[in-house]
Amino acid sequence: MNIGVIGTGYVGLVSGACFAEFGHNVVCIDNDKRKIKKLNSGFEVIYEPGLDVILNKTMESKRLTFDTDISKFIDQLEVIFIAVGTPPRKDDNAADLKDVFDVAEMVGSLLKESQLLVIKSTVPVGTNQKVAKIIEQKSGFGDNVVS
C-alpha cells in the first residue's frame, strides 16, 4: 500500500516508519524544510528507542521517503494520514486545530474519491465532521474521512 503521512513529529514519524517497516511504501511530509533535510540525511529528529534502526532500514530499502510537497506523490497514495500537532490554545487550553484544518484545506483540492484521509492527530469529538466538510467543499466528496 502507498501511504502518505503529513507531520513528522512523534506520532507521524513513528507511524510512518512503522508502516514502512511493515512493508508499505510511505512518504512523510512536513513543511519544516530543515527537519526534512535532517531526516533525508539520516538524522533522527526525535528520540524513540529503536527508531533509528527502523528509519535506516526502511530508507535504505526505499520504502520510506521524506519531502515537503505532497502534491508530487498524491496520485500514488491510497491512504493519507494527518498527524500534525494540536497543542493547547493559550486562551482556553482547547486543542488548537488550525494545522489540522490547514492540511485539510491543502489536501482537499488534491484528494481523489478513492483515497482515504485518516485523522491521526489528537482531536476532539466532531473534528472529523469539520474536516469532511472542508474536503467536500474542496473536492465534492467528504465521506472518505476517518479517525
Side-chain angles (χ1 to χ4, degrees), residues 6-9 29-32 35 81-89 95-108 117-123 127 131 134-135:
I6 302 173
T8 58
I29 304 293
D30 203 292
N31 62 3
D32 185 336
K35 185 188 278 190
F81 286 83
I82 297 177
V84 296
T86 55
R89 294 187 306 223
D96 184 347
L97 301 176
K98 180 190 179 316
D99 290 343
V100 172
F101 296 145
D102 286 349
V103 169
E105 290 276 345
M106 177 196 58
V107 172
L117 183 64
V118 181
I119 301 175
K120 182 81 172 116
S121 298
T122 304
V123 297
T127 303
V131 169
I134 292 169
I135 299 300

Side-chain angles (χ1 to χ4, degrees), residues 10-24:
Y10 278 94
V11 173
L13 183 58
V14 173
S15 296
C18 289
F19 292 144
E21 174 73 357
F22 294 150
H24 301 289

Side-chain angles (χ1 to χ4, degrees), residues 13 16-17 20-21 24-28 35-45 51-67:
L13 183 58
E21 174 73 357
H24 301 289
N25 297 311
V26 180
V27 58
C28 289
K35 185 188 278 190
I36 293 300
K37 186 175 181 179
K38 283 182 181 180
L39 287 165
N40 278 323
S41 298
F43 293 103
E44 274 185 271
V45 295
L51 181 61
D52 57 339
V53 174
I54 293 172
L55 287 174
N56 290 330
K57 182 175 147 184
T58 56
M59 288 174 64
E60 189 175 297
S61 69
K62 307 287 188 222
R63 288 193 315 269
L64 180 63
T65 57
F66 301 97
D67 207 290

Side-chain angles (χ1 to χ4, degrees), residues 29 67-77 106 110:
I29 304 293
D67 207 290
T68 57
D69 183 8
I70 195 166
S71 68
K72 296 191 288 189
F73 306 92
I74 196 75
D75 289 337
Q76 305 159 21
L77 301 176
M106 177 196 58
L110 303 171

